[in-house]
């Protein structure tokens, strides 16, 4: 009998705590607030934040560009897989477009607006050169000189992107 009372009290206590802990007025309900970031005004980032942000956004496509260069050297030696490289370039073009969109969406101070536009133009040029390299790889009469010229143009465009990232 005594055990039943203790058990009944324990179950009642757990139920009461469970019900009150799940209400909207509880501490857990108060901690989570509605996202209102869309109502806030856009605040321009500082010059140092711009440099850090752009560097972190652009670095992956720069690294991928170097990988494409390495793969091109393999293709020139006859050891690379052209179809896999074409797929890699297609993914890279998508990544470049994503990076372009991220850079375009940055809210910058007037002093950095021209740098941002130059970077976007450099990214566009790099994307065009990627598509040119892809077209070279898809051509029927592929030569080492064509691959080298396309890679030289691609790396020059990548250097422009790196220059505007600094």
């Amino acid at each position: 009998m005594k055990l039943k009372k203790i058990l009944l009290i324990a179950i009642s206590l757990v139920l009461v705590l469970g019900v009150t802990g799940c209400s909207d007025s509880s501490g857990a309900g108060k901690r989570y607030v509605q996202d209102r970031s869309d109502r806030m005004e856009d605040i321009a980032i500082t010059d140092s934040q711009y440099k850090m942000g752009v560097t972190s956004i652009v670095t992956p496509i720069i690294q991928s560009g170097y990988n494409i260069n390495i793969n091109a050297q393999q293709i020139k030696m006859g050891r690379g897989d052209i179809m896999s490289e074409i797929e890699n370039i297609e993914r890279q073009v998508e990544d470049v477009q994503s990076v372009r969109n991220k850079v375009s969406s940055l809210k910058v101070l007037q002093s950095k607006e021209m740098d941002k536009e130059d970077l976007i133009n450099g990214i566009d040029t790099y994307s065009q050169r990627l598509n040119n390299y892809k077209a070279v790889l898809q051509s029927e009469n592929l030569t080492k000189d064509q691959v080298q010229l396309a890679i030289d143009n691609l790396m020059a465009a990548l250097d422009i992107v790196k220059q505007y990232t600094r």
Side-chain angles (χ1 to χ4, degrees):
M1 189 70 174
K2 200 173 188 182
L3 185 59
K4 285 184 181 180
K5 280 186 177 182
I6 293 174
L7 189 57
L8 183 62
I9 292 171
I11 290 174
S12 299
L13 184 62
V14 168
L15 285 174
V16 168
L17 290 176
V19 170
T20 59
C22 294
S23 70
D24 288 339
S25 63
S26 70
K30 290 179 184 177
R31 276 184 252 145
Y32 301 103
V33 294
Q34 187 179 24
D35 180 21
R36 291 180 250 162
S37 60
D38 57 334
R39 295 184 207 155
M40 295 177 64
E41 64 181 74
D42 289 335
I43 300 172
I45 58 176
T46 64
D47 291 354
S48 62
Q49 289 171 329
Y50 171 78
K51 182 179 178 185
M52 286 187 325
V54 164
T55 300
S56 68
I57 292 170
V58 174
T59 297
I61 65 169
I62 292 172
Q63 292 171 341
S64 295
Y66 290 133
N67 291 338
I68 287 173
N69 186 12
I70 292 169
N71 294 342
Q73 302 310 318
Q74 295 294 321
I75 288 172
K76 281 179 20 185
M77 291 188 285
R79 291 190 260 157
D81 181 13
I82 294 175
M83 293 311 291
S84 124
E85 185 63 8
I86 290 171
E87 292 172 5
N88 183 27
I89 291 170
E90 289 171 352
R91 281 191 303 274
Q92 178 72 7
V93 168
E94 291 172 8
D95 292 345
V96 169
Q97 186 59 41
S98 172
V99 166
R100 185 194 187 289
N101 293 340
K102 287 179 184 176
V103 171
S104 295
S105 68
L106 290 176
K107 177 79 172 156
V108 297
L109 298 173
Q110 190 66 30
S111 62
K112 286 293 182 182
E113 191 65 41
M114 190 61 129
D115 291 344
K116 177 182 152 182
E117 290 302 316
D118 289 340
L119 178 58
I120 290 170
N121 291 336
I123 291 171
D124 288 341
T125 302
Y126 179 66
S127 180
Q128 291 170 349
R129 301 287 167 83
L130 275 170
N131 285 320
N132 292 346
Y133 177 53
K134 179 181 159 188
V136 166
L137 291 178
Q138 290 173 332
S139 67
E140 291 182 22
N141 299 327
L142 183 64
T143 65
K144 292 179 184 180
D145 292 337
Q146 289 173 329
V147 171
Q148 188 60 51
L149 180 61
I151 285 297
D152 288 345
N153 290 336
L154 182 68
M155 296 311 289
L158 189 62
D159 285 340
I160 291 170
V161 171
K162 284 183 358 187
Q163 175 187 350
Y164 289 124
T165 302
R166 294 182 194 141

